[in-house]
Amino acid sequence: MLDRLVGLAMLIVATTVFSYYTIWTLLMPFVDEDHFLQSLFPPRVWAIRIPVILILLASAVVGSFLSVVMIRSNRKKALKAKQGKKAS
Amino acid sequence: MTRAQQTISVFVLLTSLYAAFFLGVVPTSPKIQDDIVPVLPFWALVSFGAYLLFKLGYGVFTFNDVPEAHKELMAEIEQARTELRAKGVSVD
């Protein structure tokens, strides 16, 4: 039951994000400045800033996770090599 | 032709088409050139992300339980457990 809800939520979020962003970037330039619709959307600079910020955030998270895993694995390898040297 | 080569060639084709519009080689109205063309890569990226999320959500939404296969699998696991236990392997 819960997983169906999660799936449905993902579907709704995906459609909403797509429609809002498409209208914002491709439709709003052709709408007059004093139309009511303009009040539903922030200034269009944010249509560029928000994806860029999200991309930078995502790469920072992925990069840090990767580096932590690599450092940990290198430390383990160095430890094992040292133990091997001591034993031999 | 591998799938990677196919994807890359389609990507290069679309990129060169976009570059033609971006650099002004193809003339368009000033409004489109200033407001729409620079935004297109970001729109494509966001739409791609939304498409992937949609596909994921749809898969999760339509994933059905299979109670018979579940029962069968549990019985097989139990059978394997007893056989291994008889041979002296420590299970769970």
Side-chain angles (χ1 to χ4, degrees):
Chain A
M1 190 57 216
L2 176 68
D3 51 348
R4 280 181 78 93
L5 281 175
V6 167
L8 191 65
M10 285 161 81
L11 283 173
I12 294 179
V13 165
T15 1
T16 315
V17 162
F18 173 71
S19 342
Y20 188 80
Y21 197 76
T22 305
I23 296 179
W24 195 10
T25 53
L26 302 184
L27 199 69
M28 284 295 113
F30 299 106
V31 170
D32 295 328
E33 279 299 316
D34 48 0
H35 196 276
F36 148 78
L37 265 178
Q38 293 281 4
S39 59
L40 299 174
F41 296 93
R44 279 179 84 244
V45 256
W46 287 104
I48 310 286
R49 283 189 193 155
I50 294 181
V52 169
I53 292 177
L54 288 176
I55 288 175
L56 291 176
L57 225 72
S59 39
V61 166
V62 169
S64 348
F65 173 74
L66 213 74
S67 25
V68 162
V69 164
M70 285 176 79
I71 291 178
R72 214 178 282 170
S73 118
N74 266 359
R75 207 176 286 165
K76 242 184 253 179
K77 209 198 297 180
L79 202 66
K80 236 187 243 178
K82 216 194 295 179
Q83 284 179 341
K85 257 197 177 165
K86 262 200 176 160
S88 69
Chain B
M1 172 167 289
T2 67
R3 185 178 262 262
Q5 288 172 325
Q6 211 172 352
T7 315
I8 290 181
S9 30
V10 166
F11 184 70
V12 166
L13 176 70
L14 292 174
T15 308
S16 46
L17 267 171
Y18 176 72
F21 280 99
F22 187 73
L23 300 171
V25 174
V26 174
T28 46
S29 80
K31 187 159 211 2
I32 292 187
Q33 188 68 26
D34 295 333
D35 285 340
I36 303 286
V37 171
V39 155
L40 281 178
F42 295 98
W43 175 81
L45 200 63
V46 170
S47 313
F48 182 59
Y51 167 69
L52 290 177
L53 188 65
F54 187 88
K55 214 163 171 225
L56 253 178
Y58 185 71
V60 170
F61 186 68
T62 52
F63 196 80
N64 290 319
D65 287 339
V66 275
E68 292 199 3
H70 177 258
K71 219 182 293 180
E72 207 180 317
L73 185 62
M74 286 293 135
E76 282 183 16
I77 291 178
E78 211 35 63
Q79 186 186 8
R81 272 212 183 114
T82 46
E83 284 182 12
L84 285 171
R85 217 173 277 138
K87 298 205 171 133
V89 178
S90 62
V91 287
D92 64 41

